[in-house]
Every structure is written in structure tokens, then in C-alpha cells.
Amino acid sequence: MNGTDYYYPAAALGIAFAAKVPALWHGWRNPLVRSVCALILMAGAGFFFAAPPTITVVNRVIGIPNVSAPLVYAILCAFSCASLVLLVNWRGGPTERIRRTVRVWIAGYSVVIVALFVLFALGDAPEERLRDLDTHYATTPYIREMILVYLAGHTVAAVMVTALCWRWSRKVTRWLRAGLVVLVVGFLLNLGFGIAKFIAVIARWTGNNLDVWSTNIAPPVASTGALLTTVGFLLPLMAPRLSETWDAWRAYRWLGPLWRELRATSSGSTVPLRLSRWSSLDLRVTHREAAIYDMLLVLAPYFDTTARVRAYDAALERGKSAEDAEVIAVAAMVAVTLHAGLRQEPHPYETASEASGAGLSAAIGSGRRHLARVSRAFATSPVVAAARRPAASPEGLSV
């Protein structure tokens, strides 16, 4: 793996951390926010400082050969600790128990990190090794112990998180379960990284050479595992919000045809609210939805329920489900009413309320999703297109 193999994921994680900085600033007291940010930061730092070009620079700047080794090991141990802490905060429970568990993990890994630097200082590693330090110094006193401490800390976290996530994933659903399954895969790869390193180191102890496990197999496994681990933690936290944004954007687009048609036929009896160009997507969707409701209220006394029944039957004949046929029928009813215009006579007084209420209820349906589907059918359904053909063109329709 060359430098770019490390720097690209480091840059991606850096962008993700920058995106979380506002949440960290405003929600510093929230342990879940702190844990997420710590995890992303440690993952990105791990990739950055493990890159061979960075290792060379750090060694030259500090002036101590291989000083990057304990630094990278410490960052990876901090990543392991952050993973455990985030999992504890994520799973929840009694506040005092969570704090106690978090303190234990932080204290334990703090000891490990201090031990790494102490053992490195006691050892002797004069020859700079950018890719194979683990195996080259596998039998060197103190450096050997430093490598073992680092691999042990990394492996313990991988085993524990894998087991906890697997048990938890069997009790939850949807995005949380998806995130936990990704975490299981990610930490299994992290465990594979530790095993590959152990194989190479133990082989050196026995006089054999299996360095390929450490230099060629372990790094890409670790990189993939770190990325999957970060994704697994972020997926349940960010996916629901992204899904909501996608749903809002789809609703905004789908509401467009009916909103534009109703607005185009309006002669100004309803004054549209002007939105700022910086208005949020949710506000824009709500604005379109409310405008359509207002204009449908004006159209309601003129709804042609016969056209709705005909369109429903036509949709069923085309193989549509009853739910889809109802959506198409409502869209056809609105289209026919729009194109007939308000020149037609409204329903007689004694039936106006009943007809208007039934038509309006069918148009509004169960809320935004139904109205968006009606608008989409209004623009795309051949049944709706066929229903509006016999109707006259609107002339000065006032909505």
C-alpha cells in the first residue's frame, strides 16, 4: 500500500469529522456526540500517521528512528478504546453504570498507551523500518513487548465489540441492525489484522519468516476494517436523517406537477407565500403541500366523482393495485375538474357538502406521501392523460 491508500480514507474521515464539529460544539455535554467525534478523529488519524510518508516525516522531525511506531500504535489503541466507549454510550442503560464502564475502558487503554511509549524508550530500534517494524524487531527486548501490548489491546477490543454487536443485532431491526452487522464485519477484519500480525511475529520467534502476513496481508485488512467500523457506527446515527432528507426531496419533486398546474390556473385569489432562496427543504415541501391543500379546497365543490370512478376502473383494467388505482382516480378527478374550469356549475347545495368532502378526503388521503403520489400520477399516468382529453381547456380558471 502506498501513501495515497492511506491519505484518501484519512481525508474522507477528516471531512466527516469537520461535518460533525458543529454538533460537537453545541452538544459537547452529550457523551454520544463526543464518542462519535472521537471515533472519527482516531480513525482518520490512524490512517494519516500510518502512511509511510508520514512515518518518515515524523521520525525526521522528532529525530528518533521509528518513534512513529508507538505513536501509530497509541492512535490505534485509542481508536479501539473509542469504539468500546461509543458502543457503551450507544447501547444506553443506567447513567452511573455507563460512566463507570467508560472510565474503566479509558483507564485501561490509557495504561496501554503509556506502556507503549515506556517500552519503546527502554528498547533499542536504531534502524528505521517503514513497513515491517513488527517483524524486524519481533525478538528485540522491550520492542517485542511493545508490539505484544499493542496487538493484545487491539485484539481484545475487536473480540469484545464483535461479540457485543452480534448479540445486540439479534434484538434490534432496521438501520440499527444494519449498522451492527457492518460493525461485526469491520471488527472481524480488525481481528483478522491482529491474527495476521501475531502469525508473522510468532513465526519470527520460532526462526521462520512469514513476514508477508504482516506487510502484505494485514494493512489492507486493517484499512478495510477501520472504514467499515466507522461506517457501522455512523450508519444508524446518520442514515435515518439522510433517509428523511431523501423522502422530503422526493416529496418536493413529486408535488411539483400538481403544484405548478394549480398555480398556473390560479388568477390570484390565493396569494402564494414567497420563500427565501435559503429556505430549508422541509419548509419548501410544507409550502407546496399547504398551497395544494388551499387550492383543492376551492376546487372541491366542482369535483367530478364520475370521472374518479371511471379512472379507477380503467386503472384496475391496466393491472394496477387497488391502492394505486385509487391514487390514479383521484389524480384524474382533479385533472378533469381543472380542465373543465369553474365555468361549470357546482354541485347542488344539498349534495355539495357530501361530494366535496368525499372528493377532498380522497385527494388529501393519509397525508404528504399520498398527495405526492397523486401529483406524480397527475403528471405521468396515461389514465389521467386519457381522462383529461375530452375536457375543455381552462379559460381564466380562478383557484
Side-chain angles (χ1 to χ4, degrees):
M1 296 180 71
N2 55 38
T4 56
D5 296 326
Y6 292 87
Y7 291 139
Y8 284 145
L13 290 165
I15 293 170
F17 179 76
K20 297 294 293 182
V21 166
L24 180 64
W25 178 264
H26 295 291
W28 173 253
R29 295 183 180 275
N30 187 331
L32 188 60
V33 173
R34 294 200 305 268
S35 301
V36 170
C37 291
L39 179 84
I40 299 173
L41 182 62
M42 290 299 103
F47 278 111
F48 180 79
F49 285 99
T54 305
I55 291 175
T56 301
V57 170
V58 171
N59 290 340
R60 296 291 183 275
V61 169
I62 297 180
I64 301 175
N66 297 310
V67 73
S68 279
L71 175 62
V72 172
Y73 294 165
I75 292 172
L76 294 180
C77 285
F79 172 79
S80 297
C81 180
S83 300
L84 288 164
V85 169
L86 177 55
L87 190 62
V88 170
N89 284 311
W90 191 12
R91 191 165 187 177
T95 303
E96 188 53 39
R97 188 184 70 184
I98 293 174
R99 289 176 178 172
R100 184 169 58 252
T101 305
V102 167
R103 284 196 293 265
V104 169
W105 284 122
I106 291 177
Y109 275 91
S110 296
V111 171
V112 169
I113 290 171
V114 170
L116 292 174
F117 286 98
V118 170
L119 290 169
F120 178 78
L122 293 174
D124 184 24
E127 183 182 351
E128 184 178 67
R129 311 297 297 190
L130 300 181
R131 299 178 184 275
D132 63 346
L133 183 140
D134 297 331
T135 50
H136 185 78
Y137 290 108
T139 57
T140 302
Y142 297 112
I143 303 299
R144 171 187 57 211
E145 283 74 16
M146 177 190 73
I147 296 167
L148 286 177
V149 167
Y150 145 65
L151 289 176
H154 186 79
T155 304
V156 166
V159 171
M160 292 204 63
V161 175
T162 300
L164 288 171
C165 289
W166 178 249
R167 287 203 302 266
W168 191 11
S169 69
R170 300 167 69 181
K171 301 177 183 178
V172 295
T173 58
R174 304 188 68 180
W175 288 115
L176 179 55
R177 184 173 187 176
L180 290 170
V181 170
V182 173
L183 278 175
V184 168
V185 176
F187 274 99
L188 281 175
L189 289 174
N190 285 336
L191 180 60
F193 164 81
I195 292 172
K197 287 284 187 178
F198 269 123
I199 289 173
V201 169
I202 293 173
R204 280 299 186 111
W205 294 350
T206 58
N208 297 304
N209 188 333
L210 293 177
D211 291 5
V212 65
W213 283 83
S214 177
T215 55
N216 294 349
I217 297 176
V221 170
S223 298
T224 306
L227 284 176
L228 286 177
T229 299
T230 305
V231 170
F233 277 119
L234 293 179
L235 188 62
L237 300 173
M238 300 183 66
R241 184 175 301 175
L242 293 175
S243 179
E244 290 173 2
T245 301
W246 169 252
D247 288 342
W249 173 246
R250 185 174 60 177
Y252 180 77
R253 289 180 59 246
W254 284 11
L255 287 169
L258 185 56
W259 175 73
R260 283 188 290 270
E261 184 82 13
L262 291 170
R263 188 179 63 168
T265 55
S266 172
S267 64
S269 57
T270 58
V271 180
L273 173 67
R274 292 188 177 275
L275 295 177
S276 164
R277 68 176 61 185
W278 308 114
S279 298
S280 67
L281 179 59
D282 284 338
L283 181 58
R284 292 179 180 276
V285 177
T286 302
H287 171 253
R288 281 195 174 181
E289 190 179 9
I292 292 173
Y293 285 156
D294 289 343
M295 291 183 279
L296 288 177
L297 281 171
V298 178
L299 283 180
Y302 302 87
F303 280 153
D304 188 340
T305 54
T306 304
R308 175 183 162 201
V309 173
R310 285 198 304 266
Y312 181 83
D313 293 337
L316 289 179
E317 290 175 3
R318 288 174 173 266
K320 300 294 184 181
S321 66
E323 182 182 358
D324 290 341
E326 179 59 29
V327 169
I328 292 170
V330 171
M333 177 185 68
V334 174
V336 169
T337 304
L338 270 175
H339 283 73
L342 299 191
R343 296 162 300 157
Q344 62 180 328
E345 291 296 323
H347 297 291
Y349 178 78
E350 60 273 11
T351 61
S353 178
E354 180 181 350
S356 300
L360 188 62
S361 177
I364 294 175
S366 57
R368 175 180 294 176
R369 182 175 180 274
H370 175 83
L371 191 61
R373 293 180 64 206
V374 169
S375 177
R376 191 164 185 252
F378 181 86
T380 62
S381 172
V383 173
V384 176
R388 71 168 87 183
R389 277 193 207 109
S393 299
E395 295 177 9
L397 176 61
S398 177
V399 177

